[in-house]
Structures are given as structure tokens and as C-alpha cells.
Amino acid sequence: MTSVHLGLRRGGGRLIPVASAVAVTLFLLWQLLVVATPAAAHAVLESSDPVDGSRIAAAPGQVTFTFDESVQLPENATASLSDHGTRVDAGAAHLTGGGKTVVVPLEKGLADGAYTVSYRVVSADGHVVTGAIRFGLNADPSTAPVTAQAPLDPVQVVSEAAQGLVYAGIVLLIGVAFARSVLWPAAGGRRGALALRWLGWSLLTGGTLLRSVLAGPAADGSGWGGVLRFDGIGTALAEIGGIAGLVRLALLLIALPWVVRPRRGGPLARAAAAVLAVAVLCSVAVDGHAAAGSDAWLAVPVTTIHLTAMAVWEGASSFSPPWWCRGWRETPSISHGCAAGRSRLSPPSPCSWSRANTRPGDSSTRCSR
């Protein structure tokens, strides 16, 4: 049968698992960091008292900010200034209403004039949300100068990118493990599958560590100097997101034996590995908006199911047999050796396109395992 150029020769086979793992990772990061970013939601200010831009007749004793979900207050979370630049705070701000309302106490007997009260809070997903309101006490609030917008914090940007690494790690570790054990069990021992598992574990572990270290400085806005000083790390780790990150790191260390040898043990050991995977997914679901509302009992399981579906879909796609059939030759009649690893749920892979057309003794159709 006339041969057709379809793929790569065996000579470059050693590079295919590494190159494929890098290609899959870059594609997933592009999807997670570029495509999915606009869909990410953060805490939104629903109302304030006094209302932004309002003119009032009596001096308020406090200013309140109400958000659509519970938030965290870092150090120096609020600032209250008169139109002369004088601080008029009367103590530290605090949270009420289940963590959704920020209360900023003000000095008594405020003089007539315009006032600006700014806030800096951390939403459930770790994103820093900033803003300010203005009001006038027997004065027009629009007469005072508008405060400049805070510059983009590079620590916050890196912290959000670290969350993208966590999602990519979920796909490459848990999603690929599912594909290996359920869809293509015969392909699980190949170097490409091992490379993806290790890459996934490294991304998931590294992203979690990086996010835990940067959470405090990102909330405080203390920059890279704050990272070196570990600013706010105690407060950050005491929050639900910090606790979830520590639990996730412990689970990933426990899961190391299955990363090295996924077929370790019998059915009981594999069931334990599945429980570990679900626990890791739950720790990611808790570290976000799902655990912030009053319906957390429903939102956390739903988010965990969503993460599982995402991992299975993307992991199965990245683990498709054509990525790992390293012995591709210049013919569509590729050995049935690779065909043994095709999915139980999908059509035959390219490795089995023309088993029937293979001539006895045709060495060009061999495909190493």
C-alpha cells in the first residue's frame, strides 16, 4: 500500500512526551488565564451609607459599605479624608452582616465640607477590590478633587496567575489520571503520561504555595518588599482560603505515591486515590466565591462537580492517544500496538486506522509502547 506522510518518525520519539506536555500546558494556561478571565467575578459594592455623591445635613457617625458577598479586611483597609486632606477616622474599620458590610467609624462633630472615604477589601477569590465614595456635609461633594486610581499591583497579578497554575495542575494531574485509568488504561505507563502527571502535580503544588505566600502582601498592598517580610501571611493563612491551601498541600504530599505509580495497590488503594482527588477539588472550591455566601452548602458541591467535569474533559483531551503514539511512521497503517491504548468510549485512534491494511512483515508499521 502506498505510504502517506502523517506524523513523526521514531528518531524524535524521546522528545514527543516532553514537547506534548509543554504544548498541552501552554494551551490550558491560555484558556484559563485569557479566555476564562473575563468570566471571573469579584466582590461588588452594592450600596453605601451615605450614598456616593450625596449631600447630607447631619454629620454621620460612621460610613458603611455593603458588598454582594463576604469580604476580608487587610491592614489599613479604609481611609477617611476631609477636603483638606485631614484624616477623620475614629478607629479601625470592622465587618458586620456576615462579613458583607464594612463599617468605618468617623470622628464626632465633623465640620461642613466634602469628605472622601476609601476602602480596600479582599473578595472570596483573593482578588483585591478598591474604591471610594464622596459625600458633602452641607456642601457640594463634587467641589473636592477626585482621588487618583490606585496603580496595578504586580503582586496581585502574580497571585491571580498562580490560581491559573492551580487550575492547569488540576487538569494535568486529576484529569489525566482519569483518562489513564478509565479511557486509555493501556497508555498509562508511557513516558508522556508520567510527564503530564508530574507536571500537573508540580503546577498544582507550586501554584498553591505561591498563592499562599502572596495572599497577605497582595491584600495589604505592600509590594515585593512585603513578600520578603511575609506581611499579612498570618492573617491570610487564618482565613478559609489560607486553610484550604494548607490542606491542599498536605493532600498533594499524601498523593505522591500515586503520582509515581498510579496503579499502586488494589481497588481499596485506588478508591483512596479517588477520595484524595475529590478532596483536592473541594479545597479549590472552598477557596473562592462558593464558600462566601449563605448557600455555601450547595455552592461548594456544585463548584466541585464543575471542577471535576472541567478536569475530566480537558484531561481526556490532552491525553488523547495521538499525542502518545511515539512510533508514527510514514503510513496510515500504524501498528495495533498503539491501538490497544485507545479509548473505551471514543472511536478508534489514528494508531488503529488501517490495521486491516497492514502487510505481514511490513516493518514500517511497528509502533513502540
Side-chain angles (χ1 to χ4, degrees):
M1 181 177 177
T2 304
S3 62
V4 180
H5 290 277
L6 282 182
L8 301 173
R9 291 183 177 273
R10 181 177 173 78
R14 293 183 179 274
L15 297 177
I16 292 181
V18 176
S20 300
V22 171
V24 170
T25 303
L26 291 176
F27 174 72
L28 290 174
L29 287 175
W30 173 75
Q31 281 193 315
L32 293 168
L33 298 180
V34 178
V35 177
T37 298
H42 309 300
V44 176
L45 181 66
E46 289 186 330
S47 63
S48 66
D49 184 17
V51 177
D52 185 24
S54 63
R55 176 173 177 150
I56 59 178
Q62 62 184 26
V63 171
T64 61
F65 300 101
T66 301
F67 296 87
D68 64 341
E69 66 178 24
S70 60
V71 296
Q72 302 170 21
L73 284 179
E75 259 186 73
N76 302 317
T78 63
S80 305
L81 299 173
S82 70
D83 54 356
H84 302 294
T86 306
R87 293 291 295 260
V88 293
D89 313 80
H94 61 275
L95 293 170
T96 61
K100 292 185 177 182
T101 300
V102 179
V103 179
V104 185
L106 301 178
E107 293 178 350
K108 294 181 180 179
L110 293 179
D112 291 350
Y115 294 88
T116 301
V117 182
S118 62
Y119 60 83
R120 180 184 180 90
V121 299
V122 183
S123 62
D125 63 349
H127 185 82
V128 176
V129 179
T130 60
I133 67 161
R134 297 179 53 74
F135 67 91
L137 179 58
N138 298 311
D140 184 359
S142 64
T143 57
V146 178
T147 55
Q149 186 177 5
L152 186 65
D153 184 5
V155 177
Q156 177 66 32
V157 173
V158 176
S159 178
E160 292 184 1
Q163 185 68 11
L165 297 181
V166 169
Y167 289 134
I170 288 174
V171 170
L172 295 178
L173 179 60
I174 298 176
V176 166
F178 174 85
R180 183 208 64 81
S181 60
V182 177
L183 303 181
W184 296 286
R190 294 183 185 158
R191 282 198 299 268
L194 180 61
L196 279 184
R197 287 197 302 272
W198 271 114
L199 183 58
W201 187 90
S202 301
L203 290 175
L204 188 49
T205 304
T208 301
L209 274 172
L210 188 59
R211 187 167 167 81
S212 298
V213 171
L214 297 181
D220 290 344
S222 53
W224 295 113
V227 175
L228 297 176
R229 296 189 301 269
F230 296 100
D231 287 355
I233 191 169
T235 303
L237 293 179
E239 301 288 347
I240 186 168
I243 296 172
L246 294 177
V247 170
R248 190 183 315 140
L249 289 173
L251 293 172
L252 289 170
L253 289 176
I254 296 172
L256 260 179
W258 284 277
V259 178
V260 178
R261 232 177 110 195
R263 296 182 180 179
R264 176 183 300 273
L268 187 60
R270 294 176 188 176
V275 170
L276 277 175
V278 173
V280 169
L281 292 171
C282 284
S283 72
V284 177
V286 168
D287 184 14
H289 298 282
S294 58
D295 58 348
W297 61 273
L298 177 62
V300 170
V302 169
T303 304
T304 303
I305 294 172
H306 172 76
L307 288 171
T308 304
M310 179 271 294
V312 169
W313 179 264
E314 297 287 355
S317 300
S318 64
F319 194 67
S320 181
W323 290 87
W324 311 115
C325 288
R326 297 185 296 113
W328 289 11
R329 304 292 292 187
E330 299 171 334
T331 174
S333 47
I334 300 179
S335 170
H336 62 274
C338 284
R342 72 175 183 269
S343 169
R344 298 169 178 171
L345 305 178
S346 66
S349 72
C351 292
S352 61
W353 280 344
S354 51
R355 181 196 298 183
N357 296 324
T358 304
R359 294 194 301 270
D362 187 354
S363 61
S364 67
T365 63
R366 289 195 300 272
C367 181
S368 67
R369 298 181 67 77

